[in-house]
Amino acid sequence: MRSSELTGNSKGTANSTEIQGSGSHSSDQRGKLFIVGIGPGDPDHMTARVQSVLNEVEFIVGYKTYIDLIRPLITHQQIVATGMRQEIDRCREAIRLAAEGHSVAVISSGDAGVYGMAGILIECLDQEGLLDLPLEIIPGVTAASAAASMLGAPLMHDFAVISLSDLLTPWEVIEKRVRLAAEGDFILAIYNPKSKGRTQHIETTREILLRYRSPETPVGLVREALRGDESSVQITTLADFTNHPIDMLTTVIIGNSQTRMLGPYMVTPRGYML
Ligand code: SAH
C-alpha cells in the first residue's frame, strides 16, 4: 500500500511553468512529469539538472529507500513514497497528479532508464492514452559508472550490463546473455547479483565465465558506490569472487581477457601503444 507523507506546504510554491530549460511544452492544466535518475545516492553525484528539478517540482514520487537518499533536498515538495515492487502504483499516482496539473518528479536510483522507472512510466502513459503529457527524462550516473570509478578503469572497452534478477526476466534468457557476453569477451557489469532468496545465479554466472576466461581475471565488487562512508570495494578474481559478501547493494564488475591490476587499479586496456 502506498504511504503518503507530506513534508511542508507545497501549495502554490512551485508549478510546472517555473521549471526552466525544459525540452517539452507544459501547460498549467496538465502539469508536467519528470523522470529523474538521482545517481548512486550522494547528492554530490547528482547532476545539476536533477537538483534543480527536484527543487522546483511540487511532488516527488519514489521508492522510500530512494526518497531517503534525497532527504537533504526536500524542502517544500510533497512526497509520495511507496514500497518495493510497487512501480506500477507509483507510475499511476504520478500520472494522476500530473494530469491534474501538478509538476511531478518520479525518481529512480542511478539512471532511470537503466532497470529504472522510465520505461514503465512511458508504458503506463501509453496505456492511459496520455502520451501527450509533457515529460522530461533526466539521466543520472548509473551503478556501472559509479562502481567503475571506485575500481579504476575497468569499463574502457566493450561491456555488457546484465541484471541477474529473474523477477521479470526468465532465468534461461539471463543465462543465455551471460554465456554470449562471456563468449564475446565483454566486460560484465552485473546488477541485482544476489538476494537472500536468489543465491545460485551468481554461482552459475561464475561457472559460465570460467569456461571462457582465466580464473585470475580481476573482479571488482562495489557495495553502495559513491555513498561516502557506506561504500566498500573488494578486488578479487573470477575464481574467488563468490566467496566474498555480495548482495543487492553490490555491483559486480568482471574483467575481460585483457583486464589487469595496475597497482590498486583495475584497468581494461583499450589498446594504446605506450
Ligand atoms: N537504475 C539503477 C539500477 C537499478 S537495479 C542504476 O542505473 O544504477 C538495482 C541494482 O543496481 C542493485 O542491485 C545493484 O546491483 C546496483 N546498484 C544501484 N546503486 C548502486 C550503488 N550505489 N552501488 C553499487 N551498486 C548499485
Side-chain angles (χ1 to χ4, degrees), residues 24 33-36 87-88 90-92 94-95 106 108 111-114 116-138:
S24 322
L33 276 172
F34 297 85
I35 309 179
V36 174
E87 292 87 357
I88 296 171
R90 243 174 272 156
C91 289
R92 297 236 160 93
I95 291 168
V106 178
S108 267
D111 188 300
V114 180
M117 295 292 292
I120 182 66
L121 190 94
I122 295 170
E123 289 179 74
C124 286
L125 282 171
D126 181 40
Q127 192 191 51
E128 296 184 32
L130 289 172
L131 282 172
D132 61 343
L133 257 184
L135 170 68
E136 184 179 339
I137 302 164
I138 304 163

Side-chain angles (χ1 to χ4, degrees), residues 155-176:
L155 303 182
M156 287 301 298
H157 219 290
D158 302 331
F159 66 96
V161 174
I162 297 183
S163 164
L164 296 192
S165 170
D166 58 7
L167 279 178
L168 299 169
T169 308
W171 169 244
E172 295 68 38
V173 172
I174 301 170
E175 190 176 22
K176 178 177 177 188

Side-chain angles (χ1 to χ4, degrees), residues 66-78:
Y66 300 152
I67 297 283
D68 287 339
L69 290 173
I70 58 156
R71 286 275 168 212
L73 303 177
I74 298 170
T75 49
H76 60 277
Q77 307 89 328
Q78 295 200 43

